[in-house]
Amino acid sequence: MDEVLIFVVFAGCVAAVLGILWWLASRVRRRGIGGDVMGPFEEMWHPAAHRFRAEVRVQETRTVPMPPQGGKRNGRGGNAAELTPDLS
């Protein structure tokens, strides 16, 4: 009976660790901070993930941010009153 109890406790601990890692992975991916936290674990199970994450970082640095909504466009003011022609 002791062997069964030891096996059940061991299986429960393994299941708990895997459950925590699964929960952490889903939370990290949802928030977009997965590279630093889950990187080593993902690299153990999927070695090509390191190259993929490096490529994603390069693409993120190349992305040009959009101008603010109220900012100037083409040298003109972003205000709607300034963009409409004067009809008087």
Side-chain angles (χ1 to χ4, degrees):
M1 187 68 181
D2 289 336
E3 294 85 15
V4 173
L5 181 62
I6 290 173
F7 178 73
V8 169
V9 168
F10 177 74
C13 289
V14 169
V17 167
L18 290 177
I20 289 171
L21 287 176
W22 176 78
W23 171 77
L24 183 62
S26 66
R27 182 178 171 115
V28 162
R29 284 189 181 125
R30 216 176 309 129
R31 292 185 180 195
I33 55 174
D36 296 334
V37 177
M38 293 302 292
F41 297 109
E42 190 174 76
E43 200 166 332
M44 279 190 293
W45 301 113
H46 184 42
H50 177 69
R51 284 182 271 137
F52 178 72
R53 276 196 320 274
E55 185 67 28
V56 168
R57 274 191 230 120
V58 168
Q59 291 295 331
E60 286 176 351
T61 59
R62 289 183 184 166
T63 305
V64 178
M66 296 296 292
Q69 192 67 14
K72 292 184 178 182
R73 297 184 195 123
N74 298 330
R76 295 188 281 175
N79 192 351
E82 294 175 1
L83 296 176
T84 55
D86 188 18
L87 300 175
S88 49

